[in-house]
Amino acid sequence: MIVIAHLSDVHLDGDRRAADRTRTVMDYLESLPYDLDAVLVSGDIADHGTAAEYEQARKLLVSRHPLVVCPGNHDERAAFRQVLLGEEADPAGVPSAAPVDQVLRGEGFVLAVCDSSVPGEDHGLLADSTLAWLEDVLAGTPRDTPVLVGFHHPPVPLHTPYVDEIRQFGEERLAELAGRHPHLTAFLCGHAHTAAATTFAGRPLLVAPGVVSTLRLPWEPQEGPEHHVHLDEPPAVAFHVLGEDGRLTTHYRVVVDRR
């Protein structure tokens, strides 16, 4: 049995509130009497993309479990690479602005995490180089090994207008790629600040809940058009469980600070 914890949208901004909520989730994962196969943090790590925010993230996003962190639309690639990931700049002293694509090869699975961010924009798009990288990961993975693909932006509408306007576009390219690789098992994303489950390219598309806040759904009570962010709901995490029979099950768990 493979178990992957999935959290998203911590939006660290230097203040205590976001940090405390992130710490609550990470402490919960550390306290589990089970070694997880991976922890995925699917974007919007920093709120403004500053070096100080990534310094805060570097201290908070620490785990005994294998951890992969990808950028979202609030993140800034150069600072993300240099401060959070600890990558060195090029000989000219300039950190790479290329997409931050990463792969974790675990026991019996592969987690391929793509950078769907577009510098300076809120919507998402997988660069041609990222799609080529993902093609190589899939082609280089045996067909009997499941590959889960993560990124920040959902590539389909979720019926939440505020998020759907800035979702991942150009998704037909990703769907075409998925059609060539049947061992691509599921897509994992964030961005929506609400737990959701749907399908894309014939696979499960599983959306992590938000850590910093929860998005009100259009049919829930709102006091006005800008009242779509719920700050009082506790943070939550998803657990994706891949069984020996190849079936994927997702559990969503609210995490309450009991200190």
Side-chain angles (χ1 to χ4, degrees):
M1 182 174 70
I2 295 163
V3 182
I4 299 173
H6 180 193
L7 59 144
S8 194
D9 296 272
V10 296
H11 286 265
L12 294 167
D13 59 1
D15 289 340
R16 180 175 177 177
R17 181 183 178 279
D20 284 350
R21 291 170 73 94
T22 303
R23 186 179 296 107
T24 293
V25 173
M26 297 306 295
D27 286 351
Y28 166 68
L29 297 179
E30 289 300 289
S31 72
L32 295 174
Y34 186 93
D35 291 332
L36 300 172
D37 294 279
V39 176
L40 169 63
V41 190
S42 58
D44 280 359
I45 309 307
D47 198 42
H48 305 96
T50 68
E53 291 170 342
Y54 292 120
E55 286 284 1
Q56 188 180 38
R58 189 171 56 83
K59 296 173 182 177
L60 289 169
L61 297 177
V62 176
S63 179
R64 78 174 198 269
H65 315 291
L67 178 73
V68 183
V69 183
C70 75
N73 53 294
H74 279 251
D75 291 303
E76 198 276 325
R77 286 177 182 170
F80 186 101
R81 285 183 178 279
Q82 195 164 25
V83 181
L84 182 56
L85 299 185
E87 293 186 6
E88 295 184 1
D90 65 19
V94 180
S96 173
V100 184
D101 301 319
Q102 305 165 83
V103 62
L104 171 65
R105 298 187 181 274
E107 186 66 34
F109 77 100
V110 170
L111 178 58
V113 183
C114 305
D115 185 348
S116 64
S117 68
V118 178
E121 303 290 343
D122 286 327
H123 72 275
L125 180 75
L126 296 182
D128 290 343
S129 62
T130 292
L131 289 169
W133 171 86
L134 181 58
E135 183 94 56
D136 287 346
V137 170
L138 288 159
T141 301
R143 289 296 180 99
D144 59 352
T145 300
V147 179
L148 296 95
V149 175
F151 36 64
H152 182 64
H153 299 79
V156 296
L158 299 177
H159 307 290
T160 53
Y162 180 76
V163 173
D164 292 345
E165 294 173 357
I166 52 173
R167 67 175 179 89
Q168 182 186 145
F169 296 100
E171 68 276 9
E172 66 282 352
R173 297 146 59 242
L174 178 60
E176 182 182 358
L177 183 154
R180 296 192 292 272
H181 299 282
H183 56 319
L184 197 169
T185 302
F187 298 97
L188 314 176
C189 68
H191 191 50
H193 289 243
T194 186
T198 185
T199 59
F200 172 72
R203 276 80 163 180
L205 172 65
L206 303 165
V207 186
V211 170
V212 75
S213 64
T214 298
L215 190 71
R216 285 186 172 90
L217 300 172
W219 46 89
E220 293 182 310
Q222 298 187 34
E223 296 175 2
E226 301 301 319
H227 194 230
H228 53 268
V229 177
H230 205 315
L231 298 176
D232 297 327
E233 294 293 327
V237 62
F239 290 103
H240 307 301
V241 184
L242 193 60
E244 294 180 2
D245 58 358
R247 185 161 54 90
L248 183 66
T249 303
T250 294
H251 300 272
Y252 292 102
R253 179 67 71 222
V254 170
V255 184
V256 178
D257 187 354
R258 303 190 184 278
R259 291 174 297 172

PDB file of all heavy atoms in Angstrom, residues 81-95:
ATOM      1  N   ARG A  81      13.765  28.520  -6.161  1.00  0.00           N
ATOM      2  CA  ARG A  81      14.901  27.638  -6.384  1.00  0.00           C
ATOM      3  C   ARG A  81      16.036  27.895  -5.395  1.00  0.00           C
ATOM      4  O   ARG A  81      16.577  26.974  -4.779  1.00  0.00           O
ATOM      5  CB  ARG A  81      15.434  27.839  -7.803  1.00  0.00           C
ATOM      6  CG  ARG A  81      14.595  27.230  -8.913  1.00  0.00           C
ATOM      7  CD  ARG A  81      15.280  27.456 -10.253  1.00  0.00           C
ATOM      8  NE  ARG A  81      14.569  26.857 -11.353  1.00  0.00           N
ATOM      9  CZ  ARG A  81      14.638  25.576 -11.691  1.00  0.00           C
ATOM     10  NH1 ARG A  81      15.392  24.764 -10.984  1.00  0.00           N
ATOM     11  NH2 ARG A  81      13.955  25.108 -12.724  1.00  0.00           N
ATOM     12  N   GLN A  82      16.401  29.165  -5.261  1.00  0.00           N
ATOM     13  CA  GLN A  82      17.609  29.503  -4.524  1.00  0.00           C
ATOM     14  C   GLN A  82      17.417  29.361  -3.014  1.00  0.00           C
ATOM     15  O   GLN A  82      18.286  28.820  -2.315  1.00  0.00           O
ATOM     16  CB  GLN A  82      18.052  30.924  -4.868  1.00  0.00           C
ATOM     17  CG  GLN A  82      19.472  31.237  -4.429  1.00  0.00           C
ATOM     18  CD  GLN A  82      19.997  32.484  -5.109  1.00  0.00           C
ATOM     19  OE1 GLN A  82      19.240  33.348  -5.523  1.00  0.00           O
ATOM     20  NE2 GLN A  82      21.318  32.580  -5.243  1.00  0.00           N
ATOM     21  N   VAL A  83      16.282  29.837  -2.491  1.00  0.00           N
ATOM     22  CA  VAL A  83      16.093  29.865  -1.039  1.00  0.00           C
ATOM     23  C   VAL A  83      15.449  28.586  -0.532  1.00  0.00           C
ATOM     24  O   VAL A  83      15.934  27.969   0.423  1.00  0.00           O
ATOM     25  CB  VAL A  83      15.250  31.092  -0.635  1.00  0.00           C
ATOM     26  CG1 VAL A  83      15.075  31.142   0.887  1.00  0.00           C
ATOM     27  CG2 VAL A  83      15.895  32.376  -1.130  1.00  0.00           C
ATOM     28  N   LEU A  84      14.352  28.153  -1.167  1.00  0.00           N
ATOM     29  CA  LEU A  84      13.633  26.985  -0.674  1.00  0.00           C
ATOM     30  C   LEU A  84      14.326  25.685  -1.062  1.00  0.00           C
ATOM     31  O   LEU A  84      14.516  24.791  -0.229  1.00  0.00           O
ATOM     32  CB  LEU A  84      12.193  26.992  -1.192  1.00  0.00           C
ATOM     33  CG  LEU A  84      11.295  25.844  -0.717  1.00  0.00           C
ATOM     34  CD1 LEU A  84      11.240  25.785   0.807  1.00  0.00           C
ATOM     35  CD2 LEU A  84       9.895  25.979  -1.300  1.00  0.00           C
ATOM     36  N   LEU A  85      14.715  25.559  -2.328  1.00  0.00           N
ATOM     37  CA  LEU A  85      15.337  24.321  -2.784  1.00  0.00           C
ATOM     38  C   LEU A  85      16.843  24.305  -2.590  1.00  0.00           C
ATOM     39  O   LEU A  85      17.475  23.252  -2.713  1.00  0.00           O
ATOM     40  CB  LEU A  85      15.009  24.088  -4.262  1.00  0.00           C
ATOM     41  CG  LEU A  85      13.520  23.949  -4.617  1.00  0.00           C
ATOM     42  CD1 LEU A  85      13.369  23.598  -6.088  1.00  0.00           C
ATOM     43  CD2 LEU A  85      12.823  22.919  -3.738  1.00  0.00           C
ATOM     44  N   GLY A  86      17.431  25.463  -2.324  1.00  0.00           N
ATOM     45  CA  GLY A  86      18.867  25.513  -2.083  1.00  0.00           C
ATOM     46  C   GLY A  86      19.711  25.335  -3.324  1.00  0.00           C
ATOM     47  O   GLY A  86      20.889  24.947  -3.239  1.00  0.00           O
ATOM     48  N   GLU A  87      19.147  25.630  -4.492  1.00  0.00           N
ATOM     49  CA  GLU A  87      19.911  25.508  -5.732  1.00  0.00           C
ATOM     50  C   GLU A  87      20.870  26.684  -5.889  1.00  0.00           C
ATOM     51  O   GLU A  87      20.552  27.816  -5.509  1.00  0.00           O
ATOM     52  CB  GLU A  87      18.973  25.451  -6.936  1.00  0.00           C
ATOM     53  CG  GLU A  87      18.120  24.201  -6.995  1.00  0.00           C
ATOM     54  CD  GLU A  87      17.312  24.120  -8.278  1.00  0.00           C
ATOM     55  OE1 GLU A  87      17.500  24.980  -9.165  1.00  0.00           O
ATOM     56  OE2 GLU A  87      16.481  23.200  -8.382  1.00  0.00           O
ATOM     57  N   GLU A  88      22.008  26.409  -6.476  1.00  0.00           N
ATOM     58  CA  GLU A  88      22.977  27.473  -6.712  1.00  0.00           C
ATOM     59  C   GLU A  88      22.619  28.230  -7.987  1.00  0.00           C
ATOM     60  O   GLU A  88      22.044  27.687  -8.927  1.00  0.00           O
ATOM     61  CB  GLU A  88      24.381  26.893  -6.822  1.00  0.00           C
ATOM     62  CG  GLU A  88      24.882  26.256  -5.524  1.00  0.00           C
ATOM     63  CD  GLU A  88      26.307  25.773  -5.642  1.00  0.00           C
ATOM     64  OE1 GLU A  88      26.898  25.948  -6.731  1.00  0.00           O
ATOM     65  OE2 GLU A  88      26.822  25.223  -4.654  1.00  0.00           O
ATOM     66  N   ALA A  89      22.989  29.503  -8.017  1.00  0.00           N
ATOM     67  CA  ALA A  89      22.787  30.312  -9.215  1.00  0.00           C
ATOM     68  C   ALA A  89      23.798  29.906 -10.286  1.00  0.00           C
ATOM     69  O   ALA A  89      24.762  29.175 -10.017  1.00  0.00           O
ATOM     70  CB  ALA A  89      22.936  31.792  -8.872  1.00  0.00           C
ATOM     71  N   ASP A  90      23.572  30.376 -11.508  1.00  0.00           N
ATOM     72  CA  ASP A  90      24.514  30.079 -12.591  1.00  0.00           C
ATOM     73  C   ASP A  90      25.795  30.887 -12.384  1.00  0.00           C
ATOM     74  O   ASP A  90      25.886  31.701 -11.461  1.00  0.00           O
ATOM     75  CB  ASP A  90      23.862  30.352 -13.954  1.00  0.00           C
ATOM     76  CG  ASP A  90      23.535  31.826 -14.178  1.00  0.00           C
ATOM     77  OD1 ASP A  90      24.103  32.694 -13.472  1.00  0.00           O
ATOM     78  OD2 ASP A  90      22.711  32.108 -15.058  1.00  0.00           O
ATOM     79  N   PRO A  91      26.820  30.684 -13.197  1.00  0.00           N
ATOM     80  CA  PRO A  91      28.095  31.400 -13.004  1.00  0.00           C
ATOM     81  C   PRO A  91      27.961  32.916 -12.984  1.00  0.00           C
ATOM     82  O   PRO A  91      28.803  33.611 -12.397  1.00  0.00           O
ATOM     83  CB  PRO A  91      28.938  30.929 -14.191  1.00  0.00           C
ATOM     84  CG  PRO A  91      28.400  29.569 -14.509  1.00  0.00           C
ATOM     85  CD  PRO A  91      26.923  29.664 -14.263  1.00  0.00           C
ATOM     86  N   ALA A  92      26.904  33.434 -13.615  1.00  0.00           N
ATOM     87  CA  ALA A  92      26.702  34.881 -13.601  1.00  0.00           C
ATOM     88  C   ALA A  92      25.968  35.346 -12.342  1.00  0.00           C
ATOM     89  O   ALA A  92      25.695  36.528 -12.179  1.00  0.00           O
ATOM     90  CB  ALA A  92      25.917  35.306 -14.845  1.00  0.00           C
ATOM     91  N   GLY A  93      25.626  34.389 -11.457  1.00  0.00           N
ATOM     92  CA  GLY A  93      24.948  34.741 -10.222  1.00  0.00           C
ATOM     93  C   GLY A  93      23.451  34.879 -10.361  1.00  0.00           C
ATOM     94  O   GLY A  93      22.794  35.437  -9.485  1.00  0.00           O
ATOM     95  N   VAL A  94      22.887  34.356 -11.447  1.00  0.00           N
ATOM     96  CA  VAL A  94      21.443  34.493 -11.695  1.00  0.00           C
ATOM     97  C   VAL A  94      20.778  33.132 -11.528  1.00  0.00           C
ATOM     98  O   VAL A  94      21.116  32.176 -12.239  1.00  0.00           O
ATOM     99  CB  VAL A  94      21.183  35.023 -13.122  1.00  0.00           C
ATOM    100  CG1 VAL A  94      19.682  35.157 -13.363  1.00  0.00           C
ATOM    101  CG2 VAL A  94      21.875  36.365 -13.315  1.00  0.00           C
ATOM    102  N   PRO A  95      19.821  33.001 -10.593  1.00  0.00           N
ATOM    103  CA  PRO A  95      19.107  31.731 -10.445  1.00  0.00           C
ATOM    104  C   PRO A  95      18.286  31.431 -11.698  1.00  0.00           C
ATOM    105  O   PRO A  95      17.804  32.329 -12.375  1.00  0.00           O
ATOM    106  CB  PRO A  95      18.198  31.967  -9.229  1.00  0.00           C
ATOM    107  CG  PRO A  95      18.754  33.169  -8.538  1.00  0.00           C
ATOM    108  CD  PRO A  95      19.390  33.997  -9.612  1.00  0.00           C
TER     109      PRO A  95
END
